Amino acid sequence: VNLMESGGGLVQSGGSLNLSCVVSGFTLDDYAIGWWRQAPGKEREGVSCISADDYSTVYAGSVKGRFTIARDNVQNTVYLQMSSLKPDDTAVYYCARYISVRCAWNFRDYEYGYWGRGTQVTVSA
């Protein structure tokens, strides 16, 4: 099982970035996938999740309306489109495989069994 994030970088406040998570070693159709982030000195925070069966989505309140999660099971890729970025969005962003086909309504990191190595997102003021 492997998940690999890309697309991070440095962007000015108000800008946009698109992250990708390419998976391998398992069938993406069978699992929900989540995006998490961790800022320096802070706990890891769940950002968004997309289910595999009905493509339903869950967002943290801090990103709702600004971030959009999507998946392409043919390309084995999950995306996170981020817009109206703020300095508080600065963090390492991780994608992770959930334990089930359907996202939970909340974010519990112990329910995500496999994680990528992360991609750095830095938003300057």
Side-chain angles (χ1 to χ4, degrees), residues 48-114:
S48 184
C49 182
I50 184 165
S51 297
D53 53 354
D54 62 358
Y55 287 32
S56 58
T57 57
V58 179
Y59 293 95
S62 58
V63 307
K64 191 173 286 187
R66 301 187 298 121
F67 290 13
T68 301
I69 191 170
R71 62 192 291 154
D72 184 337
N73 289 352
V74 174
Q75 297 294 326
N76 287 325
T77 304
V78 177
Y79 305 95
L80 186 68
Q81 297 177 308
M82 307 185 296
S83 61
S84 301
L85 284 162
K86 309 172 183 179
D88 283 350
D89 295 317
T90 295
V92 177
Y93 283 72
Y94 302 89
C95 59
R97 193 183 84 173
Y98 189 59
I99 57 172
S100 178
V101 66
R102 181 74 60 87
C103 298
W105 65 271
N106 54 0
F107 295 94
R108 293 183 286 250
D109 59 1
Y110 58 83
E111 293 181 339
Y112 289 79
Y114 294 91

